Amino acid sequence: MQVIALAWWQLALAALLVVALAGCTVAGRLGMGRSLLIAAARTVIQLALVGVVLEALFAVARFHWVALMALAMLLIAGREVVARQKRRLLGGWAFGVGTLAMFLSSFTVAVLTLTVIIGPEPWYRPQYAIPLLGMMLGNTMTGVALALDRLTDGAWQQRSLIENRLMLGQSWREAIGDLRREAMRSGLTPVINAMAAAGVVSLPGMMTGQILAGTAPALAVKYQILIMFTITLGTGFGTLAAVALASRRLFDGRERLRLERLAAPKG
């Protein structure tokens, strides 16, 4: 089946509809018109640049260029994790914890999936490696950000309870145990909901894209199941690692709660 090409005027028509939506938000005094237009402009610019980069990367298909692209994606995801936290760890710890957790989870699962399950030649073939890693990092980033935000903000809100538990002789792990479990659940909930709704409430993006590109639905379903499982693994292990590292940072060597290591919320 031949893919239907999209002309620029067709994309411009869709853009005009977004502008119309922004106008409706202005008329309704929602205060979101400017943000909507900026987000739409960023979408066009960022995706256009990524398209140019990926075309060049696919043509070269060298390991060091793929690794450089993956590193850039990881660092940007780490920066987004920091930006999404109300009270983040100071001194670069928020960036370090989030980035390390995503590296340990997403990169490990992605390499395992490419080398053992999919098996392209070479294993780092960018047509497979970059989209897979991108989907995993995007979802892991959301899970890690939600978990860290719940952990740090919860530690501030429950500081009296945590300190009372410490004075009663509990270890730091016991004192913050309930909050750590809540943070982990916060990070895992979106991906669990996505798996539960896949194919019933919504058709996931990768499966939809493959079907539109002419892939047989049965094959598209197999790839989507694989992607959903790898995304869940990356998000799950990334969330667990991030919460474990960040919660330890909230206490010193004498097991005292150190909330001065958290930044004040913006605004």
Side-chain angles (χ1 to χ4, degrees), residues 135-166:
M135 286 183 287
M136 291 186 60
L137 278 177
N139 288 271
T140 304
M141 175 186 70
T142 300
V144 169
L146 289 172
L148 290 179
D149 184 63
R150 180 69 186 90
L151 177 70
T152 55
D153 191 55
W156 177 265
Q157 299 293 337
Q158 302 179 27
R159 56 190 181 277
S160 298
L161 174 61
I162 296 172
E163 289 174 343
N164 287 336
R165 288 177 173 177
L166 292 172

Side-chain angles (χ1 to χ4, degrees), residues 18 32 40 43-44 51 69 112 115 118 122 124 129 150 158 175 179 186 192 205-206 209 211 217 244 260 263 267:
V18 176
M32 301 179 65
T43 296
V44 174
M69 180 71 176
L112 179 64
T115 56
I118 300 178
Y124 54 84
R150 180 69 186 90
Q158 302 179 27
L179 185 55
S186 296
I192 292 175
M206 179 181 177
I211 292 175
E260 70 274 12

Side-chain angles (χ1 to χ4, degrees), residues 111-263:
V111 171
L112 179 64
T113 302
L114 290 169
T115 56
V116 177
I117 301 177
I118 300 178
E121 289 294 339
W123 68 267
Y124 54 84
R125 188 175 175 183
Q127 288 91 335
Y128 290 88
I130 298 302
L132 175 64
L133 183 60
M135 286 183 287
M136 291 186 60
L137 278 177
N139 288 271
T140 304
M141 175 186 70
T142 300
V144 169
L146 289 172
L148 290 179
D149 184 63
R150 180 69 186 90
L151 177 70
T152 55
D153 191 55
W156 177 265
Q157 299 293 337
Q158 302 179 27
R159 56 190 181 277
S160 298
L161 174 61
I162 296 172
E163 289 174 343
N164 287 336
R165 288 177 173 177
L166 292 172
M167 287 189 292
L168 290 174
Q170 291 187 354
S171 66
W172 72 268
R173 290 184 179 85
E174 294 171 323
I176 203 173
D178 292 340
L179 185 55
R180 293 212 306 176
R181 285 185 285 272
E182 290 178 13
M184 292 175 183
R185 282 194 289 267
S186 296
L188 286 169
T189 297
V191 71
I192 292 175
N193 290 341
M195 282 200 300
V200 179
V201 178
S202 64
L203 289 179
M206 179 181 177
M207 177 179 168
T208 302
Q210 285 187 309
I211 292 175
L212 289 175
T215 303
L219 180 58
V221 166
K222 291 180 182 178
Y223 267 98
Q224 188 60 58
I225 293 173
L226 174 63
I227 293 301
M228 294 298 293
F229 286 169
T230 56
I231 285 175
T232 302
L233 290 172
T235 303
F237 288 125
T239 298
L240 298 180
V243 171
L245 293 170
S247 59
R248 185 65 187 92
R249 177 62 183 168
L250 292 174
F251 297 86
D252 60 18
R254 298 172 60 183
E255 300 198 8
R256 296 176 300 183
L257 183 62
R258 301 294 298 273
L259 292 180
E260 70 274 12
R261 294 176 177 176
L262 296 178

